[in-house]
Amino acid sequence: MSEVVNYTREGNIGVITVNYPPVNALSQAVRSGLVAALEHGQKDAEAKVLLLVCEGRTFIAGADIREFGKPMQEPGLPAVVEQFENSDKPVVAAIHGTALGGGLETALGCHYRIALSSAKVGLPEVKLGLLPGAGGTQRLPRLAGAQKALEMITTGEFVAAKDALAFGIVDAVDESNDVKAAGIAYAQKLADEGKPVRRVRDLTDRIEADKGSDVFDQFRSALQKKARGQLSPFKCVDAVEAAFNLPFAEGMKRERELFMECMDSPQRAGLVHAFFAERQVSKVKGLPKDTPVRDVSSVGVIGAGTMGGGIAMNFANVGIPVTIVEMKQEALDKGLGIIRKNYENSAKKGRITQKQVEDRMALITGSLNYDEFKNVDLVIEAVFENMAVKKEIFAKLDSVCKPGAILATNTSTLDIDEIASATNRPEDVVGMHFFSPANVMKLLENVRGSKTSDEVKATVMAVAKKIKKVGVMVGNCHGFVGNRMLHKRGAEAMALVNEGATPQQVDKVLTDLGYPMGQFAMADLAGIDVGYRIREEMRNAGEDVAPSWMDKLAEQNRLGQKTMAGVYKYEEGSRKPIPDPEVERLIGDFRKEQGITPREITDQEILERCMYVMVNEAAKILEEGIADRALDIDVVWIYGYGFPAYLGGPMFWADQIGLDVILAAVEKYHREVGADYWEPAPLLKQLVADGKKFGDL
Ligand code: 3HC
């Protein structure tokens, strides 16, 4: 037998066991092992029913993603699944953990399926820029009908075992946690009852029922909005529709063609890069895997504003009590009110129950007194960006908090070491930079100061996981990784408007690339005062920050969405940015004041200046060791700023454009625009000279 798949017999049940840690992915070895074990079972005269089951933490979690983009090695998965379906002896799949992608497709090739109640099933290929390519688009609709199959295949969302039972995807659910015993008992029952093989490909009821339905067009039009710019979700609909219009064998051929179109697309490459990058970032360079982690079972938050409130929610969501301290009762009441409103809204949308609203609110306490932080394990400061205020707060925390408590700041730009210098325990001070809205955005940029201890670094990475964020460890500098790049893009976006572009033109170029919103719509969301304060802070520190039309917005109290006017104007109850002639006038006046004659600016120039400026800055960030790897920067942008994952992140994107093309443009803008940040990064020059990419580092 193969090393990863073996065949044994228990009474009259032939047991095929996959054992390929960590997730039993369908590598070539597993595929050929499955075929060999199945053949063994066919020949074993004592075996009446065959059982497919997996060792370890999960049933097969899909194709082996590491094999994508390489030449396919026989046997192909569709053929393996077909062989299981062709078996003359009934085959049962017993599912635990997650049966995903090719894993679920293999189970659908079996004649019966039983799942532990804790198990989940799904076809998440779309999240990798693919569609199910081993019969999933043809077999799932035969069990679950068009609507459910389209939902699962176009979203990639997992379905719990009991729902899978209701949808007809599995035939039985077992409450135990012993998948092998449950599988054998179920197989035995089928053997005793003399149940015949039941091939999904031959089922026609659901196909007949949904043939000609308009559900396919409904999905297509919904995707126009939800999956703008993406290829695979639309191909998923085409493939599922083929199950209803074509005989099974032809439907399989159609699925293969569509699958290969997706497999060969750059979007697939980008999404697979993002998949592995997300997993890599948890392995921090230079931080040993066995670094001890401190227990964090209570948290303090300073500031009940938008950020502080959002941060607190993350902890309450996972059952960790949080104390929020504010300066004034009124601000505290307002903040707690907003948190409740956010939870109530989630409950209205059916995302959580009313009981969960109350349970989570019960975990959040407000106070005006720092003494409440005496016993907490972690405090996160989330007040506005002002160094003097932050230092005062940290000195106070140092005197109140117990030894071993982690003192974190949510600053988005300021020097962690200077903040830490206000305490006698700089080793316990760290940055935990959440992204707005903090209860939604998945990124947590953890910033190490020069004295932050390994234990504290490991703990904040573990905290990220605990609160279901993607933690990325970065170094200390103005703006860290994300905002340092964003500020350069922001400066260019502002300059482009100075020179003649409109804010909406700049934003459209960015949203056309795939960003969920442009630079200026984002500024309105975050608050125009945030950028204004940062620029003022820099001016106070003696830096040369050019005057800007955006400062004038702040001075006129056009602070963005919260005042219903910023770069754009907003209508009551809507977040849709509307271009405002008043702002156009303000920009016109500013140009006159500065003696600028506006010129026509092309979309290509906007794209290059907004994107290449970030790539050039990112190369400097890498060189300085602020980011450990290019992939860390990609993950920061995908999860912190909604950079489209199908482009793989800005560094992966840059590699596709070609670093030589980017360097030539950077050199041109350095000459023409002249700002210091256009100075070409030495690393970028080096990579171009060596004919290398960021991905080669
Ligand atoms: N292929 C190769 N490696 C995989 C893998 C896969 N399908 N799925 C997970 N891994 C690896 C991860 O990279 C990680 O490796 P590392 O330890 O070296 O970083 C390790 O397995 C553990 O993964 P996670 O850290 O993600 O573990 P979790 O327990 O958090 O999650 C999981 C487990 C739910 C299975 C999650 O890994 C997952 O969602 N995997 C991807 C599933 C998927 O997309 N399957 C479809 C593949 S495409 C397909 O099947 C095509 C077919 O239709 C032809």
Side-chain angles (χ1 to χ4, degrees):
M1 274 291 94
S2 103
E3 267 179 31
V4 291
V5 186
N6 74 23
Y7 178 80
T8 53
R9 192 157 37 68
E10 306 249 347
N12 57 0
I13 309 300
V15 184
I16 298 168
T17 309
V18 181
N19 185 8
Y20 184 55
V23 297
N24 293 312
L26 289 155
S27 64
Q28 192 278 336
V30 172
R31 297 195 302 273
S32 57
L34 281 170
V35 171
L38 179 70
E39 282 167 1
H40 212 93
Q42 298 293 342
K43 286 189 202 130
D44 181 355
E46 300 293 311
K48 300 292 174 243
V49 171
L50 302 178
L51 172 70
L52 171 62
V53 66
C54 295
E55 292 279 356
R57 65 205 238 203
T58 179
F59 191 77
I60 301 166
D64 191 335
I65 302 170
R66 287 164 304 195
E67 290 182 356
F68 291 176
K70 299 182 186 150
M72 224 287 292
Q73 285 178 288
E74 297 294 336
L77 187 58
V80 175
V81 176
E82 190 182 357
Q83 257 172 284
F84 271 75
E85 193 166 56
N86 285 343
S87 165
D88 312 326
K89 293 181 187 179
V91 189
V92 179
I95 297 170
H96 75 298
T98 42
L100 302 177
L104 179 58
E105 291 176 298
T106 306
L108 295 177
C110 299
H111 306 123
Y112 299 92
R113 286 155 295 281
I114 178 169
L116 296 188
S117 57
S118 54
K120 289 183 179 145
V121 303
L123 293 171
E125 284 87 344
V126 71
K127 294 187 176 171
L128 298 171
L130 287 169
L131 52 91
T137 65
Q138 306 302 297
R139 290 191 180 90
L140 187 65
R142 284 173 158 79
L143 290 172
Q147 173 76 29
K148 197 38 70 186
L150 284 167
E151 264 170 44
M152 284 178 66
I153 293 173
T154 60
T155 63
E157 298 301 332
F158 303 168
V159 167
K162 73 170 184 3
D163 296 326
L165 180 68
F167 304 145
I169 303 168
V170 300
D171 305 293
V173 169
D174 188 274
E175 292 299 330
S176 79
N177 53 16
D178 185 343
V179 70
K180 189 170 170 194
I184 287 179
Y186 187 68
Q188 192 62 56
K189 185 166 159 270
L190 296 176
D192 295 346
E193 290 170 4
K195 285 279 194 224
V197 297
R198 189 196 49 169
R199 300 187 173 102
V200 174
R201 69 171 180 233
D202 297 333
L203 304 177
T204 52
D205 288 6
R206 304 302 305 253
I207 297 294
E208 291 310 324
D210 291 338
K211 212 174 224 166
S213 153
D214 55 11
V215 66
F216 305 101
D217 286 337
Q218 281 168 18
F219 267 80
R220 283 191 185 96
S221 70
L223 286 172
Q224 296 293 354
K225 233 178 163 182
K226 276 193 274 184
R228 194 174 55 92
Q230 293 175 53
L231 175 75
S232 69
F234 296 92
K235 300 287 172 192
C236 287
V237 180
D238 294 349
V240 174
E241 194 173 28
F244 294 82
N245 295 340
L246 298 172
F248 181 79
E250 280 178 51
M252 286 295 289
K253 263 193 220 147
R254 185 76 189 119
E255 179 193 83
R256 179 89 328 221
E257 285 163 13
L258 293 164
F259 178 77
M260 289 316 294
E261 276 179 43
C262 292
M263 184 59 99
D264 293 339
S265 80
Q267 294 195 355
R268 192 275 305 155
L271 284 161
V272 168
H273 168 77
F275 176 87
F276 285 116
E278 179 184 336
R279 281 150 184 83
Q280 276 296 106
V281 291
S282 63
K283 294 157 197 150
V284 180
K285 223 167 109 181
L287 194 63
K289 227 176 144 187
D290 55 0
T291 307
V293 167
R294 293 185 195 165
D295 179 46
V296 174
S297 41
S298 60
V299 172
V301 172
I302 305 172
T306 318
M307 262 337 234
I311 292 170
M313 288 173 78
N314 287 307
F315 291 95
N317 292 351
V318 296
I320 297 178
V322 195
T323 307
I324 307 181
V325 167
E326 250 299 347
M327 307 251 289
K328 293 209 174 92
Q329 189 66 41
E330 200 191 341
L332 185 60
D333 292 344
K334 188 174 165 212
L336 290 172
I338 291 172
I339 295 176
R340 174 171 281 281
K341 212 170 112 201
N342 285 340
Y343 279 139
E344 301 276 3
N345 280 341
S346 299
K348 259 189 227 143
K349 290 181 188 148
R351 293 199 190 121
I352 54 172
T353 62
Q354 194 55 39
K355 176 163 182 329
Q356 280 171 311
V357 175
E358 299 311 328
D359 289 350
R360 291 177 191 190
M361 284 309 296
L363 286 167
I364 303 177
T365 354
S367 171
L368 302 178
N369 191 346
Y370 274 62
D371 286 343
E372 299 292 333
F373 291 149
K374 241 183 357 221
N375 294 317
V376 297
D377 300 316
L378 162 70
V379 184
I380 304 172
E381 164 276 312
V383 305
F384 57 92
E385 294 289 80
N386 179 297
M387 183 55 93
V389 173
K390 295 206 189 241
K391 281 171 91 167
E392 203 180 298
I393 288 174
F394 273 74
K396 233 192 266 179
L397 289 177
D398 191 26
S399 68
V400 169
C401 293
K402 66 181 181 187
I406 295 176
L407 312 183
T409 168
N410 176 53
T411 178
S412 56
T413 50
L414 300 177
D415 183 353
I416 305 295
D417 289 335
E418 193 177 341
I419 295 174
S421 73
T423 74
N424 292 305
R425 41 173 135 175
E427 65 283 1
D428 290 335
V429 177
V430 69
M432 289 179 86
H433 179 208
F434 289 79
F435 285 67
S436 192
N439 53 319
V440 178
M441 296 305 283
K442 275 191 77 178
L443 180 67
L444 180 55
E445 203 182 30
N446 285 323
V447 191
R448 52 186 170 225
S450 60
K451 294 192 178 143
T452 309
S453 73
D454 278 1
E455 209 173 290
V456 169
K457 289 180 205 160
T459 305
V460 291
M461 291 302 285
V463 166
K465 206 167 242 169
K466 175 97 200 185
I467 59 174
K468 303 192 170 77
K469 302 269 177 208
V470 180
V472 181
M473 181 58 72
V474 304
N476 183 25
C477 67
H478 187 86
F480 321 123
V481 169
N483 279 346
R484 178 164 156 187
M485 289 164 68
L486 179 71
H487 290 165
K488 303 296 178 287
R489 190 187 83 177
E492 275 307 287
M494 266 195 292
L496 283 158
V497 173
N498 286 350
E499 291 168 40
T502 60
Q504 49 276 24
Q505 187 193 1
V506 174
D507 278 3
K508 182 166 186 307
V509 169
L510 295 174
T511 52
D512 283 351
L513 181 68
Y515 281 101
M517 60 174 76
Q519 176 74 30
F520 296 112
M522 192 168 135
D524 274 354
L525 178 68
I528 299 295
D529 48 329
V530 175
Y532 178 73
R533 277 224 178 86
I534 292 170
R535 288 190 293 278
E536 284 294 285
E537 234 352 70
M538 288 165 77
R539 287 178 187 126
N540 290 343
E543 287 182 50
D544 181 21
V545 181
S548 154
W549 55 272
M550 287 184 80
D551 293 338
K552 293 196 183 288
L553 294 179
E555 283 152 12
Q556 292 181 13
N557 205 38
R558 293 187 66 116
L559 302 184
Q561 285 192 18
K562 59 187 164 193
T563 56
M564 289 180 59
V567 179
Y568 298 97
K569 59 181 177 183
Y570 297 86
E571 279 167 0
E572 188 67 47
S574 159
R575 290 174 177 275
K576 188 172 175 259
I578 304 167
D580 188 344
E582 230 177 89
V583 173
E584 226 168 274
R585 255 195 313 276
L586 178 144
I587 293 168
D589 291 347
F590 179 79
R591 285 180 189 139
K592 271 191 213 126
E593 218 177 273
Q594 301 288 319
I596 301 168
T597 313
R599 65 180 170 93
E600 188 85 13
I601 297 190
T602 65
D603 288 355
Q604 182 62 23
E605 179 175 345
I606 293 174
L607 180 76
E608 290 181 1
R609 284 177 62 182
C610 287
M611 285 302 295
Y612 296 176
V613 79
M614 293 213 308
V615 174
N616 190 44
E617 194 64 25
K620 294 174 189 170
I621 284 172
L622 269 177
E623 218 164 358
E624 293 165 24
I626 298 295
D628 291 336
R629 297 154 296 196
L631 63 86
D632 291 287
I633 300 175
D634 285 335
V635 172
V636 163
W637 274 83
I638 292 170
Y639 288 112
Y641 303 87
F643 189 89
Y646 60 79
L647 297 179
M651 308 308 272
F652 188 85
W653 176 85
D655 278 347
Q656 314 309 306
I657 297 284
L659 298 190
D660 51 344
V661 174
I662 293 180
L663 177 61
V666 167
E667 284 169 339
K668 182 179 106 175
Y669 292 123
H670 189 218
R671 283 191 305 272
E672 291 175 4
V673 179
D676 289 350
Y677 51 72
W678 279 113
E679 167 94 41
L683 177 67
L684 186 59
K685 287 199 207 163
Q686 191 60 50
L687 287 171
V688 172
D690 297 346
K692 287 193 173 151
K693 298 175 164 195
F694 288 121
D696 297 324
L697 287 172

